[in-house]
């Protein structure tokens, strides 16, 4: 289930020729039913991962494997370290999100440079799907290898989300961000629930199918990978085609036609038409040394980090965006951590039956659909930040209740409240960010990459602190209670936005540049 994606304002439209969307995507029709419906199907496809793998069946199976390895203490040997099984799972989640936070700027730069947004979304999708399927071989003899496979699946899931989310402002008009985002989450809930039901039937009726319970569970992991990769073909077929690396400028197959005084045998990279953003207008017999120093290919691999740096520099001119990112960074630590550890908390701390746990999570998903729509409607009446603030207040109560919760009715009541708010806060966060970043950006990837890195780092801190506190104190209840600090900080930052118009009309002295070597770069720009 995804979480959070536009750049320069009106006064900075002179820096790029096609500022309405990502360069190369500026002609994509807004609110096209075929495209938006296809976009929501990626939620349908990939949401089976957070439900089956991170929230329900896999954590329970993980607990059974670690218990089989160490029945008395639940402490396992991992690469020479003695670690509680439950903490090892949270550390693996932290490692996965730290890895994707470090590499996503490189990947964003590569996607921007090559004009292959969909391609990179596909690569991460298939990495995650294949890794999920490979968990079929997870047992006590393959704990170490399977931990790394789980990390790869998490990287695949989170890596594909940054490219998926960045399509939202490209395919939708702003007034429909909330509703389309909520539709996506709801599709994710419905699709993932259907697969979870199939897995439950397989596990609970394993004898009927002539299977051991463990084997039936692992078949569920295999089905998750197949479902994810299979249904992802719908968005891959309907989302706008990748514009490629400046084909409109460079000509056929990215090589172009030699113009002016270029050597036909070496058409180069179309430098003759790259004339904006400090690249000059390299035409005719321009000095080759000058061309070399201005070649946009130079250092493109680090361009993702440079773009993140530019976004960082813009924050001092966009105080509302800065406040929202601080709020999101802090409250998301708590939200994502609860979602990742809720099942293993019920298994290890409350000693709940696995069937009861999975059934509860199944019902929780259905409640989540209702919650996403209710809070979308609430945001229409009272505004995004107020709706988010109320959601965070509820999460504070969840942390307190989680410390005292026991098996029985109190657990089910708490699960219902979590279900009501978890989809709501994710959906609203994604659509609020789309509303608050500067309008008419030429490169949504820069801002959404920054948002994605913020999200991933918050998950790293949240899950690691949860596992460390549990390992230090011997109780996950203490970890749950400690999460309230993150929610309180997030609420404070959100309250600073109350009464403010979210989108500001200035982006500072410099706008984030569009991606390198994209179509139309260097063509005459409109002057405001």
């Amino acid at each position: 289930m995804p979480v959070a994606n536009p750049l320069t304002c009106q006064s900075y439209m002179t820096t790029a020729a096609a500022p309405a969307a990502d360069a190369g995507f500026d002609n994509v029709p807004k609110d096209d039913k075929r495209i938006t419906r296809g976009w929501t199907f990626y939620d349908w496809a990939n949401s089976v991962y957070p439900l089956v793998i991170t929230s329900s069946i896999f954590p329970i199976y993980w607990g059974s494997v670690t218990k089989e390895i160490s029945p008395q203490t639940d402490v396992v040997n991992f690469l020479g370290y003695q670690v509680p099984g439950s903490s090892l799972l949270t550390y693996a989640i932290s490692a996965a999100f730290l890895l994707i936070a470090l590499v996503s700027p490189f990947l964003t730069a590569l996607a921007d440079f090559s004009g292959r947004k969909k391609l990179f979304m596909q690569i991460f999708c298939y990495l995650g799907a294949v890794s999920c399927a490979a968990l079929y071989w997870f047992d006590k003899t393959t704990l170490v290898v399977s931990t790394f496979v789980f990390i790869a699946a998490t990287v695949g899931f989170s890596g594909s989300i940054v490219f998926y989310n960045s399509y939202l402002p490209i395919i939708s008009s702003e007034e429909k961000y909330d509703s389309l985002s909520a539709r996506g989450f709801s599709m994710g809930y419905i699709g993932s629930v259907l697969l979870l039901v199939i897995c439950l039937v397989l596990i609970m009726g394993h004898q009927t199918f002539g299977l051991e319970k463990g084997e039936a569970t692992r078949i569920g992991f295999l089905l998750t990978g197949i479902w994810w990769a299979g249904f992802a073909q719908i968005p891959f077929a309907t989302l706008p085609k990748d514009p490629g690396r400046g084909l409109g400028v460079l000509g056929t197959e990215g090589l172009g036609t030699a113009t002016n005084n270029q050597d036909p045998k070496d058409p180069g990279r179309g430098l003759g038409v790259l004339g904006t953003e400090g690249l000059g207008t390299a035409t005719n017999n321009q000095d080759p040394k000058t061309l070399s120093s201005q070649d946009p290919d130079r250092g493109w691999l680090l361009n993702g980090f440079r773009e993140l740096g530019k976004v960082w520099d813009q924050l001092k001119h966009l105080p509302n965006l800065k406040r929202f990112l601080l709020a999101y960074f802090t409250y998301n630590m708590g939200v994502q951590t609860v979602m990742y550890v809720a099942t293993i908390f019920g298994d290890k701390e409350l000693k709940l039956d696995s069937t009861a746990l999975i059934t509860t999570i199944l019902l929780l998903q259905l409640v989540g659909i209702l919650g996403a729509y209710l809070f979308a409607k609430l945001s229409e009446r009272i505004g995004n930040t107020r709706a988010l603030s109320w959601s965070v207040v509820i999460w504070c109560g969840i942390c307190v209740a989680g410390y005292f919760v026991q098996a029985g009715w109190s657990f089910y009541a708490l699960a219902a409240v979590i279900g009501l708010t978890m989809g709501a806060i994710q959906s609203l966060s994604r659509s609020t960010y789309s509303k608050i970043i500067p309008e008419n950006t030429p490169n949504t990837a820069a801002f959404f990459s920054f948002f994605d890195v913020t999200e991933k780092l918050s998950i790293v801190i949240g899950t690691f602190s949860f596992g460390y506190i549990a390992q230090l104190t011997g109780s996950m209840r203490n970890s749950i209670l400690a999460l309230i600090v993150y929610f309180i900080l997030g609420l404070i930052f959100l309250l600073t936005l109350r009464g403010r118009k979210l989108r500001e009309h200035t982006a500072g002295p410099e706008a984030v540049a569009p991606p390198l070597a994209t179509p139309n770069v260097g063509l005459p720009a409109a002057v405001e």
Side-chain angles (χ1 to χ4, degrees):
M1 292 175 287
V3 199
N5 312 264
L7 161 62
T8 54
C9 298
Q10 292 290 329
S11 58
Y12 298 96
M13 288 175 63
T14 57
T15 61
D22 274 7
F25 290 101
D26 43 299
N27 292 323
V28 175
K30 301 284 188 180
D31 305 320
D32 181 276
K33 289 185 178 180
R34 178 176 178 272
I35 295 176
T36 55
R37 187 184 301 114
W39 182 82
T40 62
F41 259 96
Y42 192 70
D43 263 314
W44 172 287
N46 78 344
S47 290
V48 294
Y49 167 82
L51 180 56
V52 175
I53 303 299
T54 65
S55 299
S56 59
I57 297 177
F58 182 78
I60 296 173
Y61 183 76
W62 174 284
S64 69
V65 169
T66 57
K67 186 176 181 180
E68 188 178 357
I69 295 173
S70 179
Q72 301 301 321
T73 62
D74 191 41
V75 174
V76 297
N77 185 304
F78 183 79
L79 300 177
Y81 293 94
Q82 301 299 311
V83 185
S86 57
S87 294
L88 178 59
L89 181 59
T90 61
Y91 293 155
I93 295 169
S94 300
F97 282 106
L98 179 60
L99 178 61
I100 195 63
L102 292 174
V103 302
S104 63
F106 289 105
L107 298 169
T108 301
L110 186 56
D112 286 345
F113 183 80
S114 63
R116 300 289 192 269
K117 185 192 297 285
K118 186 189 292 187
L119 174 63
F120 281 89
M121 181 177 162
Q122 290 172 317
I123 289 172
F124 278 97
C125 167
Y126 295 138
L127 170 65
V130 170
S131 298
C132 282
L135 289 172
Y136 172 79
W137 289 276
F138 177 26
D139 58 28
K140 67 177 183 179
T141 64
T142 62
L143 175 66
V144 173
V145 173
S146 297
T147 299
F148 286 108
V149 171
F150 168 71
I151 290 174
T154 307
V155 168
F157 171 77
S158 58
S160 67
I161 290 301
V162 66
F163 300 106
Y164 166 66
N165 283 339
S166 69
Y167 277 103
L168 181 58
I170 294 174
I171 65 175
S172 173
S173 56
E174 182 177 327
E175 61 270 17
K176 295 187 178 180
Y177 284 174
D178 288 347
S179 59
L180 181 57
S181 183
R183 274 175 55 198
F185 274 95
S186 297
M187 286 285 287
Y189 284 129
I190 296 170
S192 58
V193 163
L194 285 177
L195 182 63
L196 183 58
V197 169
I198 294 172
C199 292
L200 275 176
V201 170
L202 192 62
I203 294 170
M204 297 174 69
H206 62 93
Q207 292 179 330
T208 304
F209 298 104
L211 301 169
E212 295 291 333
K213 189 174 183 178
E215 184 179 5
T217 302
R218 294 195 302 275
I219 289 177
F221 305 152
L222 181 62
L223 291 176
T224 300
I226 294 172
W227 179 289
W228 184 356
F231 281 107
Q233 302 311 306
I234 298 175
F236 293 158
T238 56
L239 285 173
K241 293 182 179 180
D242 285 331
R245 192 179 183 282
L247 298 183
V249 175
L250 300 178
T252 310
E253 296 300 320
L255 293 178
T257 57
T259 59
N260 305 325
N261 292 328
Q262 285 180 309
D263 182 352
K265 296 180 180 179
D266 185 15
R269 315 305 289 265
L271 293 178
V273 290
L274 290 174
T276 60
E277 293 299 313
L279 295 177
T281 54
T283 58
N284 302 321
N285 294 320
Q286 191 168 348
D287 185 353
K289 294 181 180 180
T290 305
L291 285 177
S292 177
S293 65
Q294 295 174 348
D295 186 351
D297 291 358
R298 294 188 60 184
W300 67 267
L301 188 60
L302 296 178
N303 190 57
F305 286 98
R306 285 194 291 269
E307 295 302 309
L308 293 182
K310 290 177 183 178
V311 174
W312 177 264
D313 290 339
Q314 291 295 303
L315 292 181
K316 58 187 174 184
H317 302 287
L318 298 167
N320 287 353
L321 182 60
K322 179 168 63 176
R323 292 185 182 99
F324 177 75
L325 283 172
L326 285 171
Y328 179 73
F329 179 72
T330 47
Y331 71 66
N332 192 60
M333 292 184 199
V335 172
Q336 295 290 340
T337 300
V338 169
M339 291 174 61
Y340 278 105
V341 305
T343 301
I344 202 163
F345 176 83
D347 180 34
K348 296 293 185 181
E349 196 72 32
L350 303 182
K351 311 297 182 185
L352 293 173
D353 176 74
S354 61
T355 302
L357 261 178
I358 297 175
T359 303
T360 301
I361 293 169
L362 176 61
L363 295 175
L364 184 146
Q365 302 303 304
L366 299 176
V367 175
I369 299 173
L370 176 64
Y373 276 107
L374 283 178
F375 273 83
K377 293 294 183 183
L378 181 63
S379 70
E380 292 177 2
R381 297 178 67 89
I382 66 174
N384 285 56
T385 54
R386 285 186 174 88
L388 277 171
S389 298
W390 279 111
S391 180
V392 173
V393 169
I394 295 172
W395 276 98
C396 290
I398 288 172
C399 291
V400 175
Y403 181 80
F404 296 102
V405 71
Q406 301 295 329
W409 71 267
S410 61
F411 172 76
Y412 297 114
L414 182 62
V417 177
I418 292 175
L420 194 65
T421 54
M422 71 176 185
I425 200 168
Q426 290 180 95
S427 178
L428 274 179
S429 296
R430 177 167 65 179
S431 59
T432 301
Y433 188 74
S434 294
K435 290 180 177 181
I436 204 170
I437 57 181
E439 191 175 13
N440 295 326
T441 173
N443 181 14
T444 58
F447 271 94
F448 275 103
S449 179
F450 193 90
F451 184 83
D452 187 68
V453 170
T454 301
E455 177 205 359
K456 300 302 182 286
L457 291 178
S458 70
I459 296 174
V460 171
I461 296 173
T463 53
F464 182 84
S465 62
F466 184 95
Y468 184 73
I469 293 171
Q471 185 174 356
L472 199 64
T473 64
S475 173
M476 283 187 279
R477 291 182 185 273
N478 297 323
S479 298
I480 288 287
L481 188 61
L483 293 178
I484 197 173
V485 175
Y486 301 140
F487 288 112
I488 291 174
L489 289 173
L491 180 61
I492 292 171
F493 291 126
L494 278 175
L495 291 177
T496 64
L497 286 169
R498 295 192 64 175
R500 293 173 175 267
K501 185 178 180 180
L502 290 182
R503 177 170 285 147
E504 293 139 318
H505 291 289
T506 179
E510 292 183 4
V512 179
L516 297 174
T518 48
N520 300 326
V521 174
L523 298 180
V527 178
E528 292 297 311

